[in-house]
Amino acid sequence: SPHTSLISTLSLFLGTTLTISSNHWITAWMGLEINTLAIIPLISKSHHPRAIEASIKYFLTQAAASTIILFSSTINAWSTGQWDITQLTHPTACSLLTSAIAMKLGLAPFHFWFPEVLQGSPLTTALLLSTVMKFPPIAIFLLTSNSLNPTLLTTMAIMSVALGGWMGLNQTQMRKILAFSSIAHLGWMTSIIIFNPKLALLTFYMYILITTTIFLSVNTTNSLSLSTVMTSWTKTPPLNAALMLALLSLAGLPPLSGFLPKWLIIQELTKQEMAATATIIALLSLLSLFFYLRLTYYSTITMSPNATNHMKLWRPSKPMAPAIAILMTLSSTLLPL
């Protein structure tokens, strides 16, 4: 009902704002809990068994992560007497918090729930899960970045980029491909968050911009798998041509916008004398590049062998068209401009 969706949406904004603006661990934890409870009705809205399964998986992982966050902050307060988020100094508390936030974000090796939940959700909810729901954990990461363990974060980053690439290779479902792409991008972000938090935030904003563009475009043509992406060119040909640019931008090819964060991250890692890490994640991103290229090939370059019954809709009657046009322009031409 409209009331339920209104309450859920408002609670999402409330939870996100509460976590981002809090200094105390308990208020940050409350914001995360409000967020988790607000998104569950949106995931299970369709009452499909897969949607119910996705919402239960989501609830269990997020509840476990929230418990660990509360536990780590309690350990820190017990040993130092500080409930301030920026005063996280106890080593055990730091390690626990890092693993809890990794679980919240879906970083490897705590990534297993994310593709499954995304696959069970509607496209608009999947977009929220990939973008808005990642804001609060990233904010906590930024606030505590001074006291996190660099070795643990770098290991997680390399694992995430590797797994995001490897496991995305044999996927045929659009939402799962975007989930593994999200895991790989979070790996790039995590590798730099200690050394340059502002750059990590820039990477996150750029990721949100391009992912939103792709999700809205896919939602317009209702393409859920590679086979439907193949036949979607008959619905809105111009949108499919633009989708190719957005996908290549997400892959990080110059001179598109998505190249900017990767370029700056490699530069920053080299400055920090971490050239080996930079080389490894740059090489591992070639795996992701393969499935982005396959998507662009399916969406734009391949003509489907079977004739479709769709009329060519040169003027799509979707209300999101102006937003997609603006986002598409930004996600491909922001760096050249």
Side-chain angles (χ1 to χ4, degrees), residues 8-21 31 34-35:
S8 292
T9 314
L10 287 175
S11 302
L12 271 178
F13 283 115
L14 172 69
T16 308
T17 314
L18 196 62
T19 306
I20 289 172
S21 57
I34 291 169
N35 253 5

Side-chain angles (χ1 to χ4, degrees), residues 151-173:
T151 319
L152 181 61
L153 279 182
T154 308
T155 313
M156 278 182 170
I158 292 171
M159 280 175 72
S160 298
V161 178
L163 274 161
W166 273 120
M167 296 180 75
L169 287 178
N170 62 347
Q171 299 300 331
T172 55
Q173 296 294 321

Side-chain angles (χ1 to χ4, degrees), residues 81-116:
Q82 283 286 349
W83 279 102
D84 195 322
I85 292 182
T86 51
Q87 303 295 322
L88 189 74
T89 48
H90 195 276
T92 315
C94 290
S95 303
L96 277 171
L97 179 84
T98 310
S99 50
I101 297 292
M103 205 185 288
K104 282 255 174 217
L105 287 171
L107 274 171
F110 306 105
H111 65 283
F112 294 100
W113 63 273
F114 190 54
E116 300 296 325

Side-chain angles (χ1 to χ4, degrees), residues 234-280:
T234 52
K235 296 179 185 175
T236 47
L239 182 63
N240 259 36
L243 179 63
M244 179 179 81
L245 283 177
L247 284 163
L248 292 175
S249 183
L250 195 61
L253 288 186
L256 302 166
S257 307
F259 175 58
L260 176 69
K262 292 191 174 181
W263 175 24
L264 293 175
I265 285 174
I266 289 173
Q267 192 178 336
E268 183 64 32
L269 284 174
T270 316
K271 275 185 198 167
Q272 299 292 341
E273 296 182 0
M274 292 178 68
T277 309
T279 311
I280 291 166

Side-chain angles (χ1 to χ4, degrees), residues 281-302:
I281 61 171
L283 287 173
L284 287 171
S285 67
L286 292 174
L287 293 167
S288 309
L289 177 63
F290 176 79
F291 64 76
Y292 292 127
L293 282 175
R294 187 175 61 180
L295 267 178
T296 57
Y297 189 76
Y298 270 71
S299 66
T300 317
I301 304 167
T302 310

Side-chain angles (χ1 to χ4, degrees), residues 30-212:
M30 277 168 56
L32 290 168
E33 285 298 299
I34 291 169
N35 253 5
T36 303
L37 294 173
I39 196 86
I40 284 171
L42 297 177
I43 299 172
S44 58
K45 189 168 63 177
S46 62
H47 297 296
H48 189 276
R50 181 165 278 174
I52 305 298
E53 183 191 340
S55 53
I56 290 169
K57 281 179 180 172
Y58 183 75
F59 175 72
L60 291 175
T61 45
Q62 297 299 311
S66 294
T67 312
I68 298 170
I69 287 174
L70 207 54
F71 183 45
S72 78
S73 56
T74 312
I75 289 174
N76 190 60
W78 184 269
S79 58
T80 63
Q82 283 286 349
W83 279 102
D84 195 322
I85 292 182
T86 51
Q87 303 295 322
L88 189 74
T89 48
H90 195 276
T92 315
C94 290
S95 303
L96 277 171
L97 179 84
T98 310
S99 50
I101 297 292
M103 205 185 288
K104 282 255 174 217
L105 287 171
L107 274 171
F110 306 105
H111 65 283
F112 294 100
W113 63 273
F114 190 54
E116 300 296 325
V117 170
L118 232 63
Q119 184 56 31
S121 312
L123 274 170
T124 42
T125 312
L127 169 62
L128 286 176
L129 283 167
S130 302
T131 55
V132 178
M133 298 303 288
K134 300 240 188 284
F135 256 119
I138 287 277
I140 294 178
F141 249 170
L142 286 167
L143 287 169
T144 56
S145 58
N146 298 328
S147 48
L148 297 176
N149 182 349
T151 319
L152 181 61
L153 279 182
T154 308
T155 313
M156 278 182 170
I158 292 171
M159 280 175 72
S160 298
V161 178
L163 274 161
W166 273 120
M167 296 180 75
L169 287 178
N170 62 347
Q171 299 300 331
T172 55
Q173 296 294 321
M174 197 69 185
R175 282 167 291 188
K176 277 199 173 178
I177 290 174
L178 287 167
F180 286 117
S181 127
S182 173
I183 292 166
H185 276 85
L186 284 168
W188 279 87
M189 239 173 287
T190 315
S191 66
I192 202 69
I193 203 153
I194 293 180
F195 309 110
N196 194 338
K198 285 183 180 173
L199 178 53
L201 207 53
L202 170 75
T203 311
F204 185 54
Y205 290 151
M206 200 60 87
Y207 161 73
I208 283 183
L209 171 71
I210 304 169
T211 306
T212 307

